[in-house]
Amino acid sequence: DDDIKSLAINPTKDIVATGQVGKRPYVLVWDVRELKRIVRLDFPPVRGIVALTFSADGTKLVACGSDDRHTLFVWDWRKNKLLAEMTGQNGTPPQVYGLVWN
């Protein structure tokens, strides 16, 4: 385990997601009332997860990697299913400081 680099709060306010740094980063989704981990989302080697956000209905989670391409990942986090992976903006990390679902 490594340091937490990012955090997002689900719209219901009872679920949070934390993003790690490291060679093989991951995101943990937590139930804050029960203080229990719900799911672990594993990522390819992108050096860390610099930003996270939940969709307005709380069913999806977007994560941004700290790789030079700022790779974006869209998850159905309850099913632990990666829905999409795409290249963000090229540049030297860290240029992404937050995400907003629109």
Side-chain angles (χ1 to χ4, degrees):
D1 292 335
D2 217 326
D3 296 335
I4 293 173
K5 183 74 173 177
S6 54
L7 179 126
I9 302 172
N10 189 291
T12 62
K13 307 261 192 277
D14 60 351
I15 305 289
V16 298
T18 56
Q20 306 283 330
V21 296
K23 290 181 183 179
R24 300 284 298 186
Y26 54 88
V27 167
L28 297 177
V29 180
W30 302 88
D31 180 319
V32 297
R33 292 187 180 148
E34 299 292 324
L35 301 177
K36 292 185 180 178
R37 183 174 81 182
I38 298 170
V39 68
R40 175 181 164 147
L41 308 173
D42 291 303
F43 290 79
V46 291
R47 294 195 296 252
I49 304 301
V50 295
L52 293 165
T53 190
F54 284 98
S55 60
D57 66 1
T59 62
K60 308 292 185 297
L61 180 68
V62 176
C64 181
S66 67
D67 56 317
D68 291 341
R69 299 170 56 163
H70 300 103
T71 305
L72 295 169
F73 303 88
V74 181
W75 290 85
D76 181 331
W77 63 270
R78 288 197 185 274
K79 296 179 181 176
N80 198 353
K81 182 176 181 177
L82 181 62
L83 301 175
E85 178 179 335
M86 63 211 80
T87 300
Q89 183 75 23
N90 274 346
T92 304
Q95 291 182 346
V96 176
Y97 299 104
L99 294 171
V100 176
W101 191 283
N102 188 356

